[in-house]
Amino acid sequence: MNQARARKLGDRIAKIVAEMLERRIKDPRLGFVTVTEARVTGDLREATVFYTVYGSDDEVAGTRAALASATGLIRSEVGKQTGLKHTPSISFSQDTIPDTARTIEDLVAKARAADARVAAVRVDAVPAGDPDPYRTPADDDDDIDDGDDDVEDDDMTEDDDDLGDDDVDDDEQ
């Protein structure tokens, strides 16, 4: 089936469910609920509505029960507002993205604290050996001793200059 159509229907279902939870469902067990997304299968037969609840574990359990009892009413309203020949069956699933994001933020905070501790220890630290153990190009030129200090590159003989020319002359003769 058309994935774009399923995505559009999912967006429409998410809006309908959010409006119903805000205005029409008056269950006292329903906590502070936010509909984050609705996904519809490719054949448009099943829809999963993802939601988040802020509150204690008891409020989360109460909201889950309230949504389960209101599923039929919500499905009939989705059918009326979408005008589909077959209204998808609706299931609710708690969204774990906020919990995952909170866990990642905690891990990043721990990593920053560890980096700060390492930086604090490093402030007064001195190297165990030579402060600069790496050779620089200037050091390499000074340390190399060829033994040919009295011969300069300009004093090359003519024979040294024509090393590769002898082969060419032999072929021409």
Side-chain angles (χ1 to χ4, degrees), residues 25 27-33 51 53 56-70 94:
I25 308 296
D27 195 329
R29 299 175 293 178
L30 198 61
F32 184 67
V33 180
Y51 66 94
V53 179
S56 66
D57 291 336
D58 293 336
E59 291 172 336
V60 171
T63 299
R64 186 178 304 120
L67 290 173
S69 69
Q94 188 170 358

Side-chain angles (χ1 to χ4, degrees), residues 121-141:
V121 169
R122 188 177 46 202
V123 168
D124 295 328
V126 291
D130 189 18
D132 187 14
Y134 302 104
R135 290 186 176 191
T136 59
D139 292 341
D140 290 344
D141 292 343

Side-chain angles (χ1 to χ4, degrees), residues 1-70:
M1 287 284 179
N2 190 354
Q3 292 298 323
R5 184 174 182 200
R7 194 172 33 254
K8 286 179 186 178
L9 182 60
D11 292 342
R12 182 73 180 128
I13 289 173
K15 288 177 186 175
I16 293 169
V17 171
E19 289 173 3
M20 287 202 59
L21 292 177
E22 184 178 341
R23 295 191 180 111
R24 292 199 44 206
I25 308 296
K26 301 297 181 193
D27 195 329
R29 299 175 293 178
L30 198 61
F32 184 67
V33 180
T34 303
V35 175
T36 56
E37 181 182 13
R39 293 184 192 157
V40 180
T41 59
D43 61 358
L44 308 179
R45 296 288 183 174
E46 297 175 13
T48 303
V49 178
F50 293 93
Y51 66 94
T52 59
V53 179
Y54 293 103
S56 66
D57 291 336
D58 293 336
E59 291 172 336
V60 171
T63 299
R64 186 178 304 120
L67 290 173
S69 69

